[in-house]
Amino acid sequence: GNSVTQMEGPVTLSEEAFLTINCTYTATGYPSLFWYVQYPGEGLQLLLKATKADDKGSNKGFEATYRKETTSFHLEKGSVQVSDSAVYFCALTDSGGYQKVTFGTGTKLQVIP
Amino acid sequence: EAGVTQFPSHSVIEKGQTVTLRCDPISGHDNLYWYRRVMGKEIKFLLHFVKESKQDESGMPNNRFLAERTGGTYSTLKVQPAELEDSGVYFCASSSLFTPGQQETQYFGPGTRLLVL
């Protein structure tokens, strides 16, 4: 079956530091890949997505590139802010048909001033 | 436009009691999903409704869990009787009707935190 593996947290960074959260996946076919974010006290929000190999998803300064050869979808941001503190979930859905989401365990990011 | 809402936001119950969680999807969304995150682990799929019909309930852990979606609008998830291992955060998500060849985007609610003592 499908699975998503992401780096364990928590990750603590100083403001303006570079962020990488690693994510690899196992899936049949050609899944779509996502990063969701959960800010404190809020629900899950879609941060970015990529639907085919070599696509780059981007939003709010975050980026992730769909790498089929390495089955990876690492999340990066060049300069984090305190407001980026949240839990980040890597996820995928199967191609075609109804698309239940398979999530990773989540990585908590804390950015300190 | 209102997002996905869930009620209650928190629930603390004793083992053996019954709890009912409610999800109101975005208006017009035919797809409704339930997910659960237990003890900081990954968020896992529970089941999927298309309108009032159960499309996929392969993730339901056991028969103590009962989900309904009367009239294809809001949904309830009942746990009866609750056990300690049912503690976690229950998320609901909705999306518009699936169209072949198009990527579906699921919109999630804030979740219900359930603690079974």
Side-chain angles (χ1 to χ4, degrees):
Chain A
N2 297 339
S3 67
V4 176
T5 302
Q6 61 182 108
M7 61 188 292
E8 291 191 18
V11 174
T12 302
L13 295 174
S14 298
E15 206 165 21
E16 299 184 1
F18 185 86
L19 168 71
T20 299
I21 301 179
N22 290 334
C23 172
T24 57
Y25 67 89
T26 301
T28 56
Y30 303 93
S32 293
L33 303 176
F34 305 83
W35 278 99
Y36 283 86
V37 59
Q38 185 179 22
Y39 298 102
E42 298 185 15
L44 285 169
Q45 300 176 25
L46 178 63
L47 180 60
L48 53 84
K49 66 181 181 183
T51 57
K52 60 183 186 295
D54 299 324
D55 268 2
K56 177 186 285 187
S58 61
N59 186 24
K60 299 181 180 180
F62 290 89
E63 292 183 340
T65 301
Y66 189 141
R67 301 289 189 195
K68 188 168 177 61
E69 64 275 15
T70 55
T71 61
S72 65
F73 193 55
H74 305 320
L75 182 68
E76 296 182 335
K77 186 174 185 181
S79 176
V80 293
Q81 305 300 312
V82 172
S83 57
D84 293 326
S85 298
V87 181
Y88 293 81
F89 294 90
C90 186
L92 66 81
T93 59
D94 279 329
S95 56
Y98 293 105
Q99 297 160 347
K100 63 185 179 185
V101 182
T102 299
F103 288 91
T105 54
T107 301
K108 184 175 182 179
L109 170 66
Q110 182 176 10
V111 181
I112 55 178
Chain B
E1 178 182 300
V4 177
T5 57
Q6 294 186 244
F7 182 83
S9 59
H10 295 78
S11 181
V12 180
I13 61 173
E14 294 187 351
K15 176 182 173 181
Q17 290 185 322
T18 297
V19 63
T20 300
L21 313 181
R22 173 171 170 146
C23 169
D24 286 79
I26 292 172
S27 178
H29 279 190
D30 290 321
N31 289 308
L32 189 150
Y33 299 80
W34 283 98
Y35 295 85
R36 177 174 73 168
R37 188 185 192 205
V38 174
M39 291 189 61
K41 296 184 178 179
E42 68 269 27
I43 302 169
K44 287 193 172 182
F45 166 82
L46 296 178
L47 86 158
H48 169 209
F49 285 98
V50 177
K51 299 183 181 180
E52 66 276 10
S53 300
K54 292 177 184 176
Q55 179 71 26
D56 180 356
E57 52 184 331
S58 61
M60 295 287 265
N62 51 61
N63 59 10
R64 295 186 293 104
F65 289 75
L66 175 64
E68 295 180 326
R69 191 180 183 195
T70 306
T73 55
Y74 71 90
S75 174
T76 58
L77 179 64
K78 180 189 288 187
V79 185
Q80 180 182 28
E83 298 290 344
L84 300 180
E85 63 265 25
D86 300 332
S87 297
V89 182
Y90 290 77
F91 292 100
C92 176
S94 72
S95 67
S96 55
L97 191 62
F98 171 72
T99 302
Q102 290 189 8
Q103 176 60 50
E104 172 195 26
T105 296
Q106 294 183 25
Y107 298 88
F108 282 78
T112 293
R113 294 185 180 275
L114 174 64
L115 178 60
V116 182
L117 301 176

